């Protein structure tokens, strides 16, 4: 109760939810990677705020990705019936659960231990634990040998920033991918940067939207993650990406 009240006083949305006092949750290795080049203050560093969310409130993050569904065209476009798929920054399994039936083995790499725990529970509950290996690892140091995967994929995770992959992360994904395989970035945040590194941009038609379980959940999650969209969303259970992405 004390922790919940403290969090409420600090701020509702993800930009104000955490303070510099919270960075102690990071491991020494995580601190070296995530605090370098930043202010150390999550209120001035949105990327750091998200990293704290993953570690302090993983269930809240899981609620968000549950309503942010991947376009079915993306899933259908991915390779099928392959030997091994490696997913980097797998989180709580938004994409992982879609990959299970597409390969004989899926390796899900996730640096945040609380997210790995949620993913492992989901896989066990769905009877998929034997087909997915969940392991720790960062973009720039994937714990896998060269050319071991038919596809290496990251969903809404890799960016041009070094602490979220950058050039080193792309190089590692390419190292792990076998010749003739695919390196795939789902929901890229910088298409031009990826194009400059030889990637091809593929789009799919149809509306993209976030669909909440109830209006109450919509009101809560929009206030936390999309505060700029409160007035446009009203709130509704189904909200277009065009509204929340502004």
């Amino acid at each position: 109760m004390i922790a919940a009240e403290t969090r409420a006083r600090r701020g509702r949305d993800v930009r104000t939810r955490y303070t510099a006092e919270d960075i102690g949750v990071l491991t020494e290795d995580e601190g070296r990677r995530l605090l370098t080049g930043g202010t150390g203050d999550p209120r001035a560093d949105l990327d750091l705020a998200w990293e704290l969310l993953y570690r302090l409130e993983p269930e809240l993050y899981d609620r968000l990705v549950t309503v942010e569904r991947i376009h079915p065209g993306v899933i259908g476009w991915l390779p099928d019936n392959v030997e091994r798929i490696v997913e980097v920054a797998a989180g709580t399994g938004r994409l992982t659960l879609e990959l299970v039936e597409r390969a004989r083995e899926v390796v899900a790499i996730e640096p945040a231990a609380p997210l790995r725990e949620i993913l492992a529970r989901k896989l066990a509950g769905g009877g998929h634990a034997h087909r997915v290996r969940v392991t720790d690892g960062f973009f720039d140091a994937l714990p896998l040998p060269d050319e071991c995967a038919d596809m290496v994929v990251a969903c809404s995770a890799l960016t041009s920033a070094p602490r979220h992959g950058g050039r080193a992360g792309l190089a590692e994904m390419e190292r792990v991918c076998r010749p003739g395989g695919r390196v795939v970035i789902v929901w890229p945040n910088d298409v031009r940067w990826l194009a400059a590194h030889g990637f091809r941009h593929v789009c799919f038609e149809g509306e993209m939207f976030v669909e909440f379980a109830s209006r109450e959940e919509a009101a809560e999650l929009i206030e936390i993650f999309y505060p700029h969209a409160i007035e446009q969303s009203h709130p509704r259970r189904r909200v277009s990406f065009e509204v929340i992405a502004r």
Side-chain angles (χ1 to χ4, degrees):
M1 178 62 71
I2 294 176
E5 291 175 352
T6 300
R7 181 72 60 221
R9 288 197 300 271
R10 288 182 180 178
R12 285 287 298 168
D13 70 81
V14 73
R15 292 178 181 271
T16 59
R17 203 169 182 85
Y18 312 107
T19 72
E21 296 177 358
D22 291 314
I23 64 175
V25 72
L26 301 175
T27 67
E28 183 177 350
D29 191 20
E30 289 170 341
R32 283 197 303 269
R33 294 169 181 275
L34 301 175
L35 299 177
T36 300
T39 65
D41 180 1
R43 297 194 172 191
D45 185 340
L46 183 58
D47 288 340
L48 178 58
W50 278 90
E51 294 292 345
L52 295 177
L53 169 71
Y54 304 151
R55 292 159 176 85
L56 291 170
E57 299 181 281
E59 299 286 352
L60 177 60
Y61 171 72
D62 186 51
R63 290 175 61 198
L64 173 68
V65 297
T66 298
V67 302
E68 288 184 343
R69 299 174 184 175
I70 300 172
H71 194 295
V74 173
I75 305 302
W77 179 85
L78 296 175
D80 196 5
N81 194 30
V82 297
E83 186 64 31
R84 180 179 292 114
I85 294 174
V86 171
E87 183 186 4
V88 190
T92 59
R94 168 169 45 189
L95 179 60
T96 317
L97 298 174
E98 302 283 358
L99 299 175
V100 169
E101 302 297 334
R102 308 187 79 85
R104 279 169 282 287
E105 181 189 33
V106 175
V107 181
I109 302 173
E110 170 51 51
L115 301 189
R116 289 199 305 273
E117 292 171 4
I118 293 176
L119 174 55
R121 290 201 304 267
K122 287 183 179 181
L123 293 168
H128 302 306
H130 65 292
R131 300 185 66 174
V132 182
R133 175 158 53 103
V134 180
T135 187
D136 187 11
F138 290 88
F139 270 111
D140 62 348
L142 301 181
L144 294 169
D146 296 353
E147 301 179 0
C148 68
D150 299 279
M151 180 175 73
V152 187
V153 60
C155 177
S156 192
L158 182 131
T159 76
S160 58
R163 62 178 170 173
H164 290 126
R167 292 183 179 181
L170 281 182
E172 273 290 87
M173 293 178 75
E174 291 171 352
R175 176 187 66 80
V176 170
C177 190
R178 67 167 178 78
R182 290 186 189 177
V183 175
V184 179
I185 311 300
V186 178
W187 281 349
N189 77 328
D190 191 338
V191 173
R192 291 185 179 181
W193 178 72
L194 288 168
H197 286 81
F199 281 73
R200 177 171 60 95
H201 188 206
V202 180
C203 295
F204 300 90
E205 295 183 356
E207 179 190 8
M208 286 291 291
F209 56 87
V210 176
E211 188 165 11
F212 302 94
S214 66
R215 291 190 176 187
E216 291 75 20
E217 181 183 61
E220 178 188 0
L221 295 184
I222 287 171
E223 183 180 5
I224 295 171
F225 297 107
Y226 315 114
H228 60 281
I230 291 176
E231 292 185 3
Q232 299 98 312
S233 56
H234 295 307
R236 297 187 297 269
R237 283 192 56 208
R238 179 165 165 162
V239 182
S240 169
F241 260 63
E242 292 181 0
V243 171
I244 64 173
R246 292 173 184 170

